[in-house]
Amino acid sequence: MGDVLSFGIDFGTTNSAAFSFGDSGKVSIETPYGAIGSMWPFPSLVAINRKDGSILTGIEARERRNELEKDYEVIRSVKTVIDKDKTYEVAGKKWTPVEIATEIFKGLAEAIRHKSKSECKSAIVAVPVGFAPAKKANIRKAAKKAGIEVLQFISEPTAAFCSNYEDLKMCTNVAVFDWGGGTLDIAVLHIENGRVYELESDRLDIGGDNIDEKIARKMHERFCENKRINISFDEMSSKAKDSIINKCENAKIDLTDTDVSNVSVLQYDDLGIVRASIDYDYFSLLIEPEVEMAMECLENAINKSGLNITNIDRILCVGGSSKLRPLRRKLIKKYGKGLVYYPKSVMWDIARGAALINTKGYQYRLNQDLGLVMSNGDFYPMLRKGQTLPCEEARMCFATVNNEKVAKFIVSDSANPDECSFQQYITVEMEKPSFLKSYFEVSCFIDPDMLFRLRIRSSEFQHKYMYFWTYDNVKLVYRLEGGGKNG
């Protein structure tokens, strides 16, 4: 394998994965990285020993999570709280979500060293649609603590499309339906001349983990009825709850191909040995609300993009929850079998797509003008469509009229309210009276996390910014073919 590998990372709620592209002579080598000694991704789970602080991660922590509960603090889905001000106090140390996430990145880095004998020093990281700025910042910190520089972030649905681009090159408009363990992320993409435009996105904070727990609660009711014991699911020990949720997750997977699955636990607290079966029809009715919400989210994203289903060439389905049979049947019934596309392997698509973008060396470009609506109604773009991102700061100066002490600004991407994506109204007041004409400097830029940042300061306080504003729904485009970084 060549000395230089290009890495992509899918930092997931339930599972994480890495992928690399490299060259060996004239042959391009693609390598997935998950749990060491396994063909599966790396479980996003960290177990910390309560006595000595030793750490278990990945497949070992997942497979032993029930027995570990006695001696370990088992932390799941840290991605959902990565921006929270909370700590886990274990073995005399306070662990932050960033430090927990660092252990997952370390696990991926170790998997890469084990398999490729190479170091992952930098990567493109895929995150959900609309991932909050604070979450991106903390993911960047966690990766850095593990020795990995985050080159840029890419949305998970867009990464999934990049991974399947060769099979979907004939498509003009693609809706990516990415339903994983923690979230549903949908992106409507337009493809033209090798460029991928992100037209619209939507998301739901519902995923396979929610469905697993929902099934577990129903199975718990059945167990209690069979044993004639009245105890709530929430009163059960964490070990028992983990055990039944794990069994119900397996049943959910079984029902993708079978009509009946059995759920059994050898020691379910005071209930002892419990077992019950769940059939496909019951399962389908049970998760119908979640499936309907997912379908509605897809339809909303398509409508908000300005397209309709006739203009959508494919619905690309990735993520483990997208394989649920009730969902698959509804998608095909509504949109047609030819429109719904499932790739051969959904486990590595997102990490592979991120690695592919890294391999190509292409950068994001801005797919909209961003600037100010002037007092006469004209729109002045400070950052222009097609600009390479991230970008340096652009500045404009304004003078107040008749010694007014209030300055008003409208930030937008168009002067026409019917055409703009947003309009942010800003009022800035001077902090002290002045007999001199006052000047305001407005500056803006797009940072490495693809966040539009605007700042305002006055001539009276040149070293002090009076206003900050961040916009996290910037429209982006990048190239998959031709042109390279500057093309």
Side-chain angles (χ1 to χ4, degrees):
M1 183 171 292
D3 294 331
V4 179
L5 300 178
S6 298
F7 292 96
I9 293 177
D10 172 16
F11 184 80
T13 304
T14 306
N15 294 293
S16 297
F19 205 96
S20 72
F21 283 87
D23 292 320
S24 178
K26 296 182 179 180
V27 181
S28 177
I29 296 178
E30 304 180 17
T31 309
Y33 308 93
I36 295 176
S38 170
M39 295 298 293
W40 296 90
F42 190 91
S44 302
L45 188 147
V46 177
I48 308 171
N49 189 287
R50 294 190 182 96
K51 290 183 178 181
D52 60 18
S54 58
I55 297 170
L56 293 176
T57 58
I59 201 72
E60 183 177 7
R62 179 179 176 84
E63 290 182 347
R64 297 178 55 199
R65 58 184 172 179
N66 294 328
E67 64 175 278
L68 291 175
E69 286 286 352
K70 181 180 178 181
D71 300 316
Y72 286 75
E73 184 75 20
V74 181
I75 302 165
R76 306 165 183 79
S77 306
V78 70
K79 180 179 174 180
T80 62
V81 296
I82 192 69
D83 61 334
K84 303 300 182 184
D85 183 19
K86 66 177 298 183
T87 57
Y88 306 86
E89 191 162 351
V90 189
K93 176 184 175 181
K94 291 183 178 180
W95 295 76
T96 66
V98 169
E99 290 171 318
I100 299 298
T102 296
E103 297 302 321
I104 297 173
F105 278 106
K106 285 181 178 178
L108 288 173
E110 178 58 31
I112 291 169
R113 281 192 293 269
H114 178 82
K115 194 169 185 177
S116 69
K117 313 302 180 186
S118 298
E119 295 288 334
C120 177
K121 296 182 179 179
S122 62
I124 290 180
V125 176
V127 294
V129 173
F131 209 52
K135 290 187 176 184
K136 288 182 179 178
N138 283 349
I139 290 290
R140 191 180 289 276
K141 290 178 184 176
K144 186 175 182 179
K145 283 176 172 286
I148 302 172
E149 177 192 359
V150 177
L151 298 174
Q152 69 180 55
F153 291 103
I154 185 173
S155 73
E156 291 173 358
T158 303
F161 171 77
C162 293
S163 182
N164 293 279
Y165 177 64
E166 291 300 320
D167 293 331
L168 300 174
K169 289 176 71 171
M170 70 291 194
C171 298
T172 301
N173 299 307
V174 174
V176 184
F177 186 98
D178 174 19
W179 203 8
T183 61
L184 167 65
D185 293 295
I186 294 172
V188 181
L189 310 176
H190 176 72
I191 302 91
E192 184 178 346
N193 295 327
R195 291 184 172 92
V196 180
Y197 299 84
E198 298 178 350
L199 299 182
E200 191 54 74
S201 62
D202 207 343
R203 63 172 287 147
L204 282 176
D205 289 321
I206 295 175
D209 294 346
N210 305 93
I211 291 174
D212 298 340
E213 182 173 331
K214 187 175 188 179
I215 301 170
R217 288 180 178 274
K218 286 297 182 180
M219 292 297 101
H220 173 82
E221 291 177 17
R222 291 189 184 181
F223 298 155
C224 289
E225 290 172 357
N226 294 338
K227 296 284 186 174
R228 296 182 180 179
I229 295 178
N230 187 15
I231 181 172
S232 74
F233 180 80
D234 295 319
E235 291 179 277
M236 302 297 288
S237 68
S238 57
K239 179 178 180 179
K241 285 188 285 189
D242 276 349
S243 180
I244 187 62
I245 289 173
N246 188 41
K247 297 289 186 179
C248 289
E249 180 187 11
N250 292 335
K252 177 189 72 176
I253 295 171
D254 289 343
L255 290 169
T256 301
D257 302 308
T258 63
D259 292 329
V260 180
S261 182
N262 294 314
V263 177
S264 61
V265 181
L266 295 180
Q267 186 59 51
Y268 192 56
D269 282 357
D270 293 340
L271 279 70
I273 300 174
V274 293
R275 62 171 55 89
S277 63
I278 178 171
D279 61 54
Y280 173 77
D281 291 337
Y282 179 83
F283 170 69
S284 182
L285 287 173
L286 183 63
I287 69 169
E288 186 174 20
E290 288 78 11
V291 170
E292 288 298 328
M293 283 190 286
M295 295 286 291
E296 183 178 348
C297 187
L298 172 61
E299 186 174 0
N300 288 340
I302 293 173
N303 291 337
K304 287 192 299 181
S305 73
L307 303 175
N308 56 39
I309 194 59
T310 304
N311 301 119
I312 298 294
D313 301 306
R314 288 292 186 278
I315 298 172
L316 170 60
C317 298
V318 296
S321 298
S322 72
K323 298 169 66 177
L324 292 170
R325 191 168 18 150
L327 170 72
R328 189 166 187 164
R329 285 184 169 180
K330 284 183 178 292
L331 285 172
I332 292 174
K333 182 178 180 180
K334 182 170 183 176
Y335 297 111
K337 188 173 183 179
L339 202 65
V340 180
Y341 178 79
Y342 282 85
K344 294 179 181 178
S345 175
V346 300
M347 294 188 297
W348 311 101
D349 274 342
I350 293 173
R352 184 180 184 274
L356 183 62
I357 292 296
N358 196 3
T359 301
K360 296 287 186 181
Y362 300 135
Q363 293 175 296
Y364 273 116
R365 293 177 183 270
L366 189 59
N367 194 31
Q368 65 189 137
D369 291 330
L370 296 171
L372 301 175
V373 179
M374 313 303 284
S375 58
N376 64 357
D378 291 341
F379 174 70
Y380 182 84
M382 296 181 68
L383 302 179
R384 293 183 178 275
K385 183 176 180 179
Q387 185 164 348
T388 300
L389 303 178
C391 64
E392 296 182 354
E393 201 163 9
R395 294 180 171 86
M396 288 184 66
C397 289
F398 299 88
T400 57
V401 180
N402 299 325
N403 292 324
E404 292 183 3
K405 297 307 171 188
V406 176
K408 297 180 179 180
F409 302 91
I410 302 176
V411 187
S412 185
D413 58 349
S414 172
N416 188 339
D418 296 329
E419 296 178 355
C420 68
S421 302
F422 70 94
Q423 284 197 333
Q424 176 71 10
Y425 294 85
I426 300 171
T427 299
V428 181
E429 296 183 3
M430 301 300 294
E431 296 187 2
K432 66 178 183 179
S434 173
F435 296 102
L436 301 175
K437 183 178 292 187
S438 298
Y439 294 88
F440 289 90
E441 180 192 81
V442 179
S443 62
C444 62
F445 63 99
I446 294 179
D447 69 12
D449 294 339
M450 301 301 119
L451 300 175
F452 173 74
R453 298 188 181 274
L454 180 135
R455 304 188 287 197
I456 300 175
R457 61 184 174 185
S458 76
S459 56
E460 297 183 12
F461 302 94
Q462 293 185 11
H463 301 292
K464 179 181 178 181
Y465 286 103
M466 305 174 65
Y467 187 88
F468 294 88
W469 184 63
T470 300
Y471 179 63
D472 61 359
N473 196 25
V474 177
K475 293 182 179 178
L476 306 169
V477 61
Y478 53 89
R479 296 189 75 160
L480 291 179
E481 293 183 334
K485 285 187 176 182
N486 301 313

